[in-house]
């Protein structure tokens, strides 16, 4: 039976509140930054901010769901009987993960056709990855979790392959002063996304119930912070540098 | 007697939360995009964003109404005695459906006279369609549902006829680089609106009570997402392309 210690309950509670604040702050930073970049890069910042805004909404809901799933009495944590709603994460990812790939594509400023075709391919694969992961996340036995997790990793491998092989040539065509940043953004995407399957596999370990709960919640939270707010800041830096090179200081003064 | 399973209850619950987040995100995307289009297209984006904002508000209310209509105890779902408020949808549609047609007309940039006369004709027919559908939605017997549904389909057919016959010539006068997109926007409107009557007719099937509830709620939700957020993104793409052609990059740098 699941019995979190008060320290464990508080750790997750505070991590959720911290993440809501960070995502909301990142949203405002990215949207305010729109006025500092050239025309071609505004949509990349709009979408980076949207991803953080959507995440802020869901962390607000997740925070409230966590609060109502437990009751605290005399420092002891008991389950309230209201289930913690895991689905908020998947609903969030269904929206934000395709958008994360689209912001990476937009900041590269490819041709219109290439932008649309890469967005459809990568965005579609990302949505499929999330949809296939969910039945495993809510499964009560580990073999179902493993089956859906494995299916979900097929589109994941496809995305990684597209990011490195498909976008590789385009990245080498980026202006020299941002090529390193674009590669960093790709690496950050790959590394942070690689963190989700590791968290997903925590229940396979022989950790006990409460440790699994804390590990999964804190793990996904850290991954979300890096993949969304962290990537957003990199996208902002790329957009500012490219704007200075392409539009000059004057165009966006 | 209606008894939803916990999975059915959660599916609708999460679909409503997802839709609130998507509509709010689409609103912000469309309003931030106003700075990226020429003067003549700003109103089209203002209204597209308004439609999504009104829908976000109503999905927030619908979400709360759903939550308070059921009580969950030990994983079992029971009706709380507070009725789920179906009217939110019709109130939303009464406002948003005429606006959806107006955003489609605005992005075509017809003459002022034509814009006003088409907006009055199509907007009026759309409002009539919603008003006639409502008595059927809340009717307890299927023959009343069918009567009002049939009456409601008369203005619907008129709108479809106007979109294809009345607007056909204007669409062929659109610049070549957006003609395909405008046709897609018209088709998306037609196809997504055609989905509503199908959902409306779910109670005629021999599905049982809870399946009807889930089917109607999820069905209307998907149709709303496509008809509002999906159309909004298409309107945005049309507005950006037409602005680039008509105003050049400089006008909206």
């Amino acid at each position: 039976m699941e019995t979190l210690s008060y320290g464990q309950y508080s750790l997750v509670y505070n991590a959720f509140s911290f993440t809501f604040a960070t995502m909301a702050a990142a949203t405002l930073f990215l949207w305010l930054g729109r006025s500092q970049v050239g025309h071609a890069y505004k949509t990349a910042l709009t979408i980076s901010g949207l991803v953080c805004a959507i995440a802020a909404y869901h962390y607000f809901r997740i925070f409230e769901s966590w609060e109502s799933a437990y009751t605290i009495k005399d420092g002891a944590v008991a389950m309230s009987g209201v289930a913690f709603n895991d689905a908020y994460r998947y609903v969030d990812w269904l929206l934000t993960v395709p958008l994360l790939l689209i912001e990476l594509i937009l900041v590269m400023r490819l041709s219109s056709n290439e932008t649309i075709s890469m967005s459809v391919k990568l965005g579609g694969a990302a949505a499929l990855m999330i949809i296939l992961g969910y039945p495993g996340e809510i499964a009560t036995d580990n073999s179902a979790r493993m089956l859906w997790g494995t299916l979900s990793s097929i589109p994941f491998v496809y995305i990684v392959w597209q990011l490195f092989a498909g976008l590789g040539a385009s990245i080498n065509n980026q202006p020299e002063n941002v090529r390193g940043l674009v590669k960093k953004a790709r690496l950050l995407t790959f590394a942070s996304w690689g963190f989700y399957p590791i968290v997903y596999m925590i229940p396979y370990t022989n950790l006990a119930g409460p440790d699994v709960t804390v590990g999964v919640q804190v793990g996904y939270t850290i991954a979300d912070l890096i993949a969304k707010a962290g990537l957003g800041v990199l996208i902002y830096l790329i957009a500012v540098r490219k704007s200075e090179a392409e539009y000059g200081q004057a165009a966006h003064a």
Side-chain angles (χ1 to χ4, degrees), chain A residues 216-252:
Chain A
V216 168
Q217 296 307 328
V218 173
Y220 279 148
T221 300
I222 294 171
D224 274 346
L225 283 167
I226 298 169
K228 291 168 181 163
L231 184 71
V233 171
L234 273 183
I235 295 286
Y236 167 79
L237 291 175
I238 296 168
V240 167
R241 283 206 199 169
K242 289 181 81 174
S243 298
E244 278 169 9
E246 293 164 26
Y247 295 82
Q249 293 280 351
H252 49 282

Side-chain angles (χ1 to χ4, degrees), chain A residues 97-108 110 114-115 117-119 121-123 125-126 129 154-174 179 181-194 227 231 235:
Chain A
V97 172
L99 291 175
L100 281 168
L101 290 169
I102 291 171
E103 72 185 62
L104 190 59
I105 295 165
L106 281 174
V107 86
M108 293 177 63
L110 309 174
E114 218 180 339
T115 299
S117 90
M118 284 303 285
S119 296
K121 272 194 272 187
L122 291 181
M129 172 177 85
I154 299 170
F156 176 66
V157 169
Y158 170 77
I159 293 168
V160 171
W161 175 72
Q162 280 287 348
L163 284 179
F164 285 85
L167 281 180
S170 313
I171 288 179
N172 288 325
N173 290 334
Q174 292 293 303
R179 208 175 296 152
L181 277 177
V182 175
K183 282 187 181 162
K184 266 195 197 120
R186 177 176 67 173
L187 189 65
L188 186 84
T189 303
F190 170 64
S192 60
W193 290 26
L231 184 71
I235 295 286

Side-chain angles (χ1 to χ4, degrees), chain A residues 132 136 141-153 200 204:
Chain A
L132 289 172
D141 65 305
N142 276 342
S143 60
R145 193 177 183 92
M146 206 168 298
L147 170 70
W148 290 106
T150 307
L151 289 175
S152 170
S153 69
Y200 190 92
Y204 306 164

